[in-house]
Amino acid sequence: MTELSELESQLIAAVDAAGDEAALDDVRVSALGKKGTISERMKTLGKMDPEERKAAGQALNALKDKVADAIAIRSTSLKNAALEARLANEFDDVTLPVRPELKGSVHPVSQVWEEVVQIFGDMGFAVAEGPHIETDWYNFGALNIPEDHPARQEHDTFYFNPKEDGSRMVLRTHTSPVQIRTMEKSTPPIRIIAPGRTYRCDSDQTHTPMFHQVEGLVLDETTHLGHLKWCLEEFCKAFFEVDQVKMRFRASHFPFTEPSMEVDINYSVENGQVKIGTGNKWMEILGSGMVHPKVIAAGGLDPDKVQGFAFGMGIDRIAMLKYGIPDLRAFFEADLRWLRHYGFSALNVPTLPGGLS
Ligand code: PHE
């Protein structure tokens, strides 16, 4: 029989020579497997006398440990080498120019969404979110729209099938439920906008069953109508990239605000193009008002201490206005020719200092 030391150097050499995991496993089986060289020697221990067995047993166990360790180390380095090879192989040269036929562009809705976030972000607003599938309570009840309220009909709601208890989930008809969800989990001062998808069962040139809104909510102890007007005026100037825009606050009615106002901005039409901020035509762009005390209470805050404003604006609508896009339905048709015409460069991220559009 070969000397143990000789067996050791043979086995370690075999481990080091194993070129991949499979070869390494063969070495493992040949040494430590049931019929492996080390295991076979273990079997001879039984025939030895006690003194001899003790010494030989210890030596064999030490050898077994050494070989097992060597296998583990070799296995790690093989795995690392395989990973390195794979990474080198899967390397993508991101500096290669884009193939023209693959060039994508940013959808006007994404662009305008980002512009809105930039402008309000600069005014200290954070971005909040809520689920698209809402309970009746968040979409209506908490917003002071009771069961028999006419606003429910106006909203052309998509309802889910009733649950066992008779309640029905809805696709949110506006972003206003995010007001309630935000109040529930924050303490004033609150300054958020909530851009997102909304759904109403309605479809024509200016309505699609899914569309986008951005909600705004400001709540603290002192915010008043003047702040609302300033905020919206600054937004309009920044968004439409004009120095002046006239605004008209028209008394209106929303169950969740009191008083409520719809906001119009002035525009003119020159050579068939809409120009915001010049001329004396009026166009409605959003709904707003002071948050109704009942809504503040439904959000878990104290309406005797907390007050503020909210507004809701159609993202698709202001996108159409700013970029002169005539038909809303085209937004969601995924027509590449349309997207190439109206889309934005992916690398041209809108920022206030760098320019919005
Ligand atoms: N939720 C209203 C709508 O969808 C807009 C709105 C929001 C009005 C907040 C006032 C305050 O029409």
Side-chain angles (χ1 to χ4, degrees):
M1 241 187 232
T2 29
E3 285 297 311
L4 270 198
S5 59
E6 202 176 314
L7 180 61
E8 177 178 333
S9 33
Q10 279 171 11
L11 289 175
I12 299 291
V15 167
D16 289 341
D20 56 29
E21 287 281 333
L24 184 62
D25 203 53
D26 290 344
V27 179
R28 184 187 61 77
V29 173
S30 77
L32 306 172
K34 258 194 202 141
K35 297 209 168 115
T37 42
I38 295 182
S39 314
E40 290 296 339
R41 287 195 186 217
M42 289 281 190
K43 289 177 196 159
T44 65
L45 291 175
K47 291 178 201 130
M48 297 179 186
D49 58 59
E51 277 305 301
E52 203 187 348
R53 183 188 306 146
K54 197 177 166 203
Q58 273 175 359
L60 267 181
N61 272 322
L63 173 60
K64 197 175 149 190
D65 289 348
K66 266 191 201 159
V67 173
D69 286 350
I71 290 176
I73 290 169
R74 182 72 187 146
S75 167
T76 312
S77 77
L78 282 175
K79 280 199 186 97
N80 287 343
L83 181 64
E84 288 297 329
R86 203 177 131 203
L87 287 177
N89 199 19
E90 290 178 0
F91 170 78
D92 279 328
D93 185 352
V94 293
T95 64
L96 280 176
V98 176
R99 277 185 278 154
E101 73 275 17
L102 292 182
K103 201 164 158 190
S105 56
V106 174
H107 195 284
V109 170
S110 308
Q111 167 78 16
V112 165
W113 178 313
E114 200 45 50
E115 291 180 20
V116 170
V117 168
Q118 285 297 321
I119 297 169
F120 282 108
D122 187 57
M123 291 193 236
F125 285 72
V127 173
E129 282 181 323
H132 297 191
I133 298 175
E134 271 294 10
T135 61
D136 195 273
W137 168 252
Y138 282 107
N139 195 77
F140 295 119
L143 292 161
N144 193 31
I145 314 177
E147 207 70 62
D148 49 5
H149 198 284
R152 293 223 179 195
Q153 270 79 61
E154 284 162 30
H155 276 217
D156 298 310
T157 313
F158 285 113
Y159 285 97
F160 285 79
N161 291 334
K163 296 196 221 173
E164 266 173 26
D165 64 4
S167 67
R168 287 188 296 179
M169 301 296 281
V170 303
L171 281 177
R172 67 177 183 189
T173 59
H174 49 178
T175 41
S176 300
V178 185
Q179 288 190 34
I180 306 295
R181 292 187 174 276
T182 304
M183 287 182 221
E184 282 178 343
K185 58 180 180 227
S186 18
T187 36
I190 292 173
R191 278 190 204 92
I192 58 107
I193 55 164
R197 293 184 163 189
T198 47
Y199 308 83
R200 289 184 201 179
C201 186
D202 201 356
S203 184
D204 58 36
Q205 196 178 338
T206 51
H207 296 91
T208 48
M210 187 282 291
F211 58 105
H212 299 83
Q213 286 192 337
V214 56
E215 194 81 6
L217 176 69
V218 173
L219 284 176
D220 55 27
E221 289 173 7
T222 52
T223 289
H224 53 68
L225 266 185
H227 296 121
L228 168 63
K229 290 177 79 173
W230 179 86
C231 229
L232 293 177
E233 187 171 339
E234 288 307 302
F235 169 78
C236 285
K237 285 195 290 192
F239 179 75
F240 290 108
E241 302 180 51
V242 292
D243 294 331
Q244 287 300 321
V245 60
K246 283 194 205 135
M247 306 191 73
R248 185 167 76 171
F249 288 77
R250 229 173 346 95
S252 180
H253 178 263
F254 299 104
F256 30 91
T257 45
E258 181 58 38
S260 302
M261 292 154 311
E262 278 172 311
V263 178
D264 302 336
I265 53 177
N266 71 320
Y267 74 101
S268 61
V269 181
E270 285 167 30
N271 308 322
Q273 290 268 15
V274 170
K275 285 196 87 180
I276 305 286
T278 65
N280 47 18
K281 291 176 189 266
W282 293 106
M283 159 148 45
E284 181 204 321
I285 59 155
L286 61 90
S288 65
M290 297 300 289
V291 183
H292 197 293
K294 280 192 181 169
V295 173
I296 297 179
L301 300 175
D302 182 354
D304 289 329
K305 294 205 182 102
V306 175
Q307 63 178 47
F309 65 76
F311 60 85
M313 186 161 51
I315 292 183
D316 319 277
R317 185 168 161 74
I318 61 172
M320 289 169 81
L321 282 178
K322 180 166 179 179
Y323 295 113
I325 306 172
D327 191 332
L328 178 63
R329 285 169 298 193
F331 273 65
F332 308 114
E333 277 169 2
D335 182 334
L336 271 179
R337 290 163 306 172
W338 183 88
L339 201 54
R340 287 203 180 106
H341 182 76
Y342 287 110
F344 294 82
S345 160
L347 301 176
N348 216 349
V349 180
T351 61
L352 285 188
L356 287 179
S357 59

